[in-house]
Each structure stands twice: as C-alpha cells, then as structure tokens.
Amino acid sequence: MSGVRINRFLASCGLGSRRACEGIVRTGRVVLNGRRVDSLGVRVGPGDQVLVDGEPVTMASINLMEGASRVDDVCTHVAHRGKGYCRTLIHALLAYYDALSTQPLYLWAENPTAIRIYQEAGFVEQRPDADSWYAWKDPSKQ
C-alpha cells in the first residue's frame, strides 16, 4: 500500500495527535479528492487534496526533476496561520523527501515568516541579491 493513513497525515500537518485526528476523520470533517472520508483505513499519497471542514489547512508539494527537485505550492489558510501547521508540514515533507531521493531540494520564497521556517528546516540562502529568497537543502550535507 502506498501513502500514509489519513489520521497520520493530518497529525503530520499539525492538527493534533493521531488519536485526535482519528476523531476529525470519524466525524466526517475530512474530504479527500472531493469525497468525504470517515474511515481510518484511507491512505493519502502525493498529489491528493485533503480538506478539513471544507478548506485546506496547509499544503505543499515537491516537483521531482532530474538533478534537483523543488518545493512548490506552500500555503497555510489564513485562519490557521501562526499555529505551527506549516512548520510541521515542511518537516514532514522533508522527511518524506529524504526517504525518496538524495537529490538537492530548492525553493523560492518572499514571506519572512516562511523564510524563517525554511531556514529552521535546513535550507541555506544561495543568492542574497535576488528579488526572492532562493535556497537549497543538500541531503549530502546533513
């Protein structure tokens, strides 16, 4: 089976413990790819869209490419900012990526709060003269 159980995914996004996230799932508050989910046996994989109470809480994706990969589509719904959800998701995303690939990972950012989260996660700024913050995380230098 691929992917991770839905309650583990929600917990990795910072929505609570796995047990607390079981309750979120069982009460029908979760929608996966347009379908309401109330079973803990459901798995979430790359590319799946997960909504809680009808809205995305936080999200990010990795664009896998030859030679290096890029973190894309990082956002946290405004109602959920400042609660650590994105920080938790970025660390889970990096753990997933580290198990998947040994290629360097890079991203672009402009938001100062996001930049602090990326730096905490091990990204290192590469071009301080750019309009956007540009950083790499090289798995070989961990």
Side-chain angles (χ1 to χ4, degrees):
M1 285 188 189
S2 65
V4 297
R5 286 178 46 144
I6 188 77
N7 62 313
R8 182 175 178 190
F9 172 81
L10 294 173
S12 74
C13 291
L15 290 175
S17 67
R18 283 194 228 175
R19 173 80 73 203
C21 291
E22 286 177 8
I24 293 171
V25 173
R26 286 189 174 130
T27 56
R29 294 171 54 195
V30 179
V31 173
L32 174 64
N33 299 327
R35 295 201 161 159
R36 188 157 310 279
V37 173
D38 59 8
S39 168
L40 297 175
V42 173
R43 293 187 168 275
V44 177
D48 285 338
Q49 181 188 44
V50 180
L51 305 176
V52 177
D53 297 330
E55 58 188 37
V57 174
T58 189
M59 62 180 264
S61 65
I62 296 176
N63 186 356
L64 299 172
M65 300 176 287
E66 290 268 337
S69 296
R70 183 179 66 233
V71 176
D72 284 325
D73 308 319
V74 180
C75 72
T76 300
H77 190 280
V78 69
H80 300 290
R81 291 183 184 158
K83 298 176 183 175
Y85 297 158
C86 187
R87 176 176 282 105
T88 301
L89 178 62
I90 290 298
H91 286 278
L93 184 79
L94 292 175
Y96 169 79
Y97 184 74
D98 287 345
L100 182 72
S101 177
T102 59
Q103 295 184 140
L105 186 63
Y106 73 97
L107 56 79
W108 294 89
E110 295 177 345
N111 180 307
T113 302
I115 291 170
R116 280 193 305 277
I117 291 170
Y118 301 140
Q119 288 172 324
E120 288 171 12
F123 284 90
V124 178
E125 186 173 7
Q126 295 297 307
R127 295 188 331 176
D129 58 330
D131 291 336
S132 295
W133 191 78
Y134 173 66
W136 285 83
K137 184 169 188 334
D138 190 343
S140 68
K141 296 181 180 177
Q142 290 187 29

